Amino acid sequence: MTAAEIRQQFLDFFASKGHQIVPSAPIVVKNDPTLLFTNAGMNQFKDLFLGNKPAPYKRAADTQKCLRVSGKHNDLEEVGIDTYHHTMFEMLGNWSFGDYFKPEAIAWSWELLTEVYKLPKDRLYVTVFEGDTAEKLPADSEAIAEWKKHIAEDRILMGNKKDNFWEMGDTGPCGPCTEIHVDCRTDAERALQPGHELVNNDHPQVIEIWNNVFMQFNRLKDKSLEPLPARHVDTGMGFERLVRVLQGKQSNYDTDVFMPIIHATEKLCGKQYGQTEKTDIAFRVIADHIRAICFTIADGQLPANNGAGYVIRRILRRAVRYAFSFLEVKKPLLHDLVPVLAAQFSKVFPELQQQEDFVKKVVFEEENSFLRTLDSGLGRLDNITASGAKNIEGAVAFELYDTYGFPLDLTMLIASEKGLTVDEAGFETEMKKQKDRSRAATELDMGDWTVLMDQPSGIFAGYTELEMPAKVLKYRKIKAKGKEQYQLVLDKTPFYAESGGQVGDTGTLTFGTEKIPVTDTKKENDLIVHFVDKLPAAIDGGLIASVNAPKRQDTASHHTATHLLHAALRQVLGTHVAQKGSLVNADYLRFDFSHFAKVTDEELAQIEAIVNEKIRKNIPVVIRELPREEALKLGAMALFGEKYGETVRVVTIDPAYSIELCGGTHVGSTGELGLFKFTAESAVAAGVRRVEAVTGAKAEAFVTDQLQQFKSAKGLLKNPKELAKAIDQLISDKASLEKQLAALELKQVQQQAASLPQQAETVNGVHFLGAIVEAGNADMLKQFAMAVKDQLATPYLAVLCANVGGKAQVTVLVDEQLVKDKGLNAQKIIKEQVAPLIKGGGGGQPVLASAGGQDAGQLEQVIAKVKALL
Ligand code: SER
C-alpha cells in the first residue's frame, strides 16, 4: 500500500464508525499563549474538551500536521540521528467528545490495526497506566479489562506517569493513556529477546505507533487535577511510523513518504543515501526539515528573529548546516526540494503547491543569507586560528552560535579540525544567561481562572451591538513583562477580540457606578478575554459593556478598505498575491502580501484608483453566514494558515469584485470610507511586500498635510509652474556654487599659507610654527597644513589651529626626520597633548594628525604646550 492509501484507509475506517472527517488545523497556532505550533491532533479540540464551547459533532477523525520542536514536546535533537522521530509529522487521530469511551476506542484501534491493516497480533504490545500515588490516581483497570478482550495478558504492560499519562502542556486537558507498540525486529532477533523488554526502551525497531488518551482532567496552574465536565477520547497515530511498519521498512525514511525527497537530494548533491552514517544523517535531517520548513511557511509563518519564526529559521539552518558540512553542498539546495514536496502533498495539503513559488523564494533567500553568515563565521574561526590561540573561549563560541548560527557541535567539529579546544562550560554559561534574559522578557504568568458562573461563554454580539448588559463568568490574574493585569470572560460581549489582523476593541465595563476601562480584547482558543488593569469591587453583580464606538468605526473602515485593497492588488499585480499579514486599527491599515518586486508608483496609483472608484460607487457590504464548502464554491477568498469552521462568515463587496471569508467588523457600504490613500510601500522579507494606507478622516488629514507641505515648498520657491523642475534647478545651482566656493577657498588657503612659514621660530634647532588660522572646516585646515608643509625649512614641527564656529580644530605636522631621530610623533601629540586640552579626540599618522574638540578657547595653550615639547 502506498502512504496515500494507508492514510485514506484510516479516514475511511473512522468515517464508517460515524466520525466526521475534518481538515487539519494550521500547523502554526494562533490564539493560544501556551503553544507556538500544533503539537498534537487534539490541539484544535482543546476547547471542546475543556467544555468552553459545545462540540459541533460527537466524533471526528483527521490527519493533522504537527510540529514538535518547542515547549513540552520537543524531539528536534533526535531528528535525523534516529530513524523514527520527526519535526513535522502527520498525526492520524480519532476523537470522541463526551461520546464513546474506553471500550470502543480500544476495540476500534485493535480492529483497524489487525483486521484492516492486518498487522500480526504477535508483534503488538500495549501499555496501560499503572496509577500514581502522588497524584492520587488509580491504575487504569478499565483499560486493562478492555484489552484483555483482544490481546494476550502478557502483552499488556503497565506504564508510569511519564509514558502513560498524557498532557498537552504544563496546563490543560489530560488523562491516562494506553499506547500500542509494534515489534518490527526479524524473527531471529525476536527469538533471542522477548519484545516486551524493549517496549519504551528507545529500540529503533520496537516503537510506539498509536496513543489512545482518555481525557478526564484539566491540569491547573497549581499542578492539581480538576475533573473535566465530560470524558473524551483523543487518539494519535504517527502516520510516518505506521507507513514504515506496513511497508515493512526498517526506517521511516525508507518509505514513500520520504524517499522522493531523499532521491531529489541525491541528485542535487551527487552523493548516495546509504553509504556512510554521517551522510545518511544529513540526508534524513534534510528530508525531515524541509517538510517542517515548507508547511509552516505555507501556513503563513515566515522565518524571523523571534517567536515561531525563529524556530523555523533554526530548523532551516540546521538543515543547511548538515548539507554544508556532510553533503559538502556550499550553495542553496533546500529550495530545489520545494516542488518535489509540493507535488507529493498536492492532494492532502494543497496549500503548499498553491504557494510553491512563494515558499521556494523564501527558502532560497533564507539559505542564501545563512550561507553568507556561515562564511563569515568560518572567517572568524580562521582569525582565531591565525592569532595563535589554542582555545575558543565560551563567549566566542556563543557569539558564533548567536550571531552566525553555529551550534556548539559545529564549532567543536571545526575547532578539532584546526587543533583547537572549545570552552564548553563557558558556552553553557553564556547560553544560560541568554535564556534567562529572554525568559524575563517574555514570561507570561497566568493564574487559574476563578469561576463565578459555570457555563459556556463568549457569545460575540458586537457585529450588531456596541453596548449591552452582561455578567462576568470567570476571571484571572496575569503577569506579562512584569505588568499585572486581569482577564475577564463575560457571558456575552460586544467587544471584538483581536483576530484576522483587526485589533481588539477597547471600551468600558460599568459595574454599578464603577467604570473599569478595557485596555484590549483578545481570543484565547475560543474564549473572548477582556483585559483590565483592576477588578471591580462588585465583580459578581451585573455590568454594562460598552465599546469605544468612534474607534471601532474607524477600525471597521480600515477593515473594509483592506478587502477593497486585497482585490485591487490581485487585479493589478496578479493572482499570486496572497495575504501574508494584516493589521487593521483605527489609525491605519497595514497589509503584507506575497509579491516578488517593488510595487511601482504607477501600480500604486492604479490600485488606489480602483479602490477609490469602489468607494465612490458606495457598494453595500453584504455579510452572510454560509456552509464553508458553499462559500468556497462562490470563489470566496480564504487565507492560508487560517482555521475555518463548518459555517463561515462571508463578506461580499460586489460579488464580481471581492468575496472574502472574514470574521472582522465592517462598514455598511463603501461610501463610508470617503477616501483611500497609500502612505507607504516597503519590503518585509524575501518575496513579501508591505503597503500602508489610510481612509476617511485619516486620509483627509494625510492629503491635507501633504498639500500643505507642497504649498509651502512652492511658496518658498516663489510659486514656480513646475515645482519638481524648480527644485531640480535649485539642486544643480547649489552644486555648481559649492564647486566655485571650494576653488575660492583653496586659493585663499594658499595665499594665507604663503606668509605663514616666515612666522616660524627656531626652538632647540627645530623650526617651530604655531598659528591660529582662518579655516571653515577640518578639511580646509588640512589643506593649510599641506600648503605650509612644503615651504617650511627642515626639521620642522607645526601646529595649525582654527576656531570653527566656537569649536576647536587642530592639525599637527612633524618632519619625518624628527619622527625618526627624536621620536616625536604627530599622532601621539594629538592624542596626549592636544585632545585633552580641547576636550575632543582625533588621530592620524606620525607625520600628520588632527583633532577636533569642544573648546576653541584653548588654542593658544595648545600651541604653547606643543612648543614646550621642544
Ligand atoms: N494527544 C495524544 C498524543 O499526542 C494522542 O493524540 O500523543
Side-chain angles (χ1 to χ4, degrees), residues 67-84:
L67 192 61
R68 289 194 169 172
V69 286
S70 55
K72 185 171 166 67
H73 299 278
N74 185 349
D75 296 329
L76 185 61
E77 292 311 317
E78 263 83 40
V79 173
I81 313 290
D82 74 19
T83 55
Y84 58 103

Side-chain angles (χ1 to χ4, degrees), residues 39-42 68 73 91-92 95 166 208 211-213 215 234-237:
N39 67 5
M42 52 72 66
R68 289 194 169 172
H73 299 278
M91 189 183 273
L92 302 170
W95 289 274
W166 198 84
E208 176 204 341
N211 189 11
N212 277 237
V213 184
M215 291 290 185
D234 152 34
T235 91
M237 174 144 61

Side-chain angles (χ1 to χ4, degrees), residues 595-834:
H595 184 58
F596 296 141
K598 186 176 165 49
V599 189
T600 64
D601 286 344
E602 293 73 37
E603 286 164 337
L604 286 174
Q606 236 178 312
I607 295 160
E608 213 172 64
I610 295 173
V611 173
N612 280 314
E613 189 208 51
K614 299 292 171 193
I615 292 174
R616 285 191 301 274
K617 280 196 175 150
N618 198 19
I619 306 164
V621 179
V622 179
I623 299 178
R624 285 176 300 168
E625 302 262 340
L626 291 176
R628 188 181 59 233
E629 291 312 315
E630 195 179 318
L632 294 177
K633 259 191 224 132
L634 285 177
M637 205 133 46
L639 300 184
F640 296 111
E642 210 50 58
K643 184 177 145 193
Y644 295 106
E646 294 307 309
T647 309
V648 290
R649 195 162 171 270
V650 183
V651 178
T652 306
I653 309 171
D654 174 0
Y657 183 67
S658 160
I659 315 178
E660 286 200 38
L661 303 190
C662 174
T665 65
H666 289 268
V667 298
S669 59
T670 58
E672 288 177 51
L673 272 48
L675 178 66
F676 172 91
K677 273 286 167 201
F678 281 122
T679 54
E681 193 276 346
S682 59
V684 187
V688 183
R689 306 298 305 184
R690 164 172 294 178
V691 287
E692 291 170 35
V694 283
T695 65
K698 303 281 186 248
E700 188 184 327
F702 175 74
V703 172
T704 306
D705 177 62
Q706 298 281 309
L707 275 177
Q708 250 157 18
Q709 287 190 41
F710 177 74
K711 242 168 112 178
S712 62
K714 239 178 144 173
L716 286 171
L717 293 178
K718 309 269 175 298
N719 293 314
K721 260 206 193 95
E722 288 174 74
L723 181 62
K725 218 169 161 187
I727 292 175
D728 206 37
Q729 186 63 48
L730 204 61
I731 293 170
S732 71
D733 286 355
K734 180 170 172 271
S736 93
L737 284 173
E738 275 170 353
K739 224 164 147 191
Q740 284 178 36
L741 183 64
L744 272 173
E745 276 174 356
L746 186 63
K747 228 181 193 166
Q748 204 185 358
V749 164
Q750 282 161 346
Q751 271 168 10
Q752 266 196 63
S755 61
L756 272 180
Q758 292 142 29
Q759 293 174 26
E761 48 187 318
T762 312
V763 185
N764 260 337
V766 174
H767 297 280
F768 175 74
L769 170 65
I772 300 179
V773 300
E774 271 174 40
N777 53 44
D779 244 16
M780 244 174 102
L781 190 65
K782 249 185 234 155
Q783 282 180 14
F784 248 112
M786 301 322 283
V788 167
K789 189 171 160 243
D790 296 335
Q791 299 171 50
L792 282 168
T794 52
Y796 59 80
L797 168 65
V799 194
L800 298 174
C801 310
N803 178 334
V804 181
K807 296 206 167 145
Q809 275 298 333
V810 179
T811 293
V812 173
L813 281 168
V814 178
D815 195 346
E816 216 165 341
Q817 195 194 329
L818 290 182
V819 177
K820 268 197 223 133
D821 299 348
K822 303 281 177 199
L824 279 171
N825 182 323
Q827 200 180 359
K828 245 170 109 181
I829 295 174
I830 279 288
K831 228 173 125 198
E832 290 167 11
Q833 315 289 330
V834 179

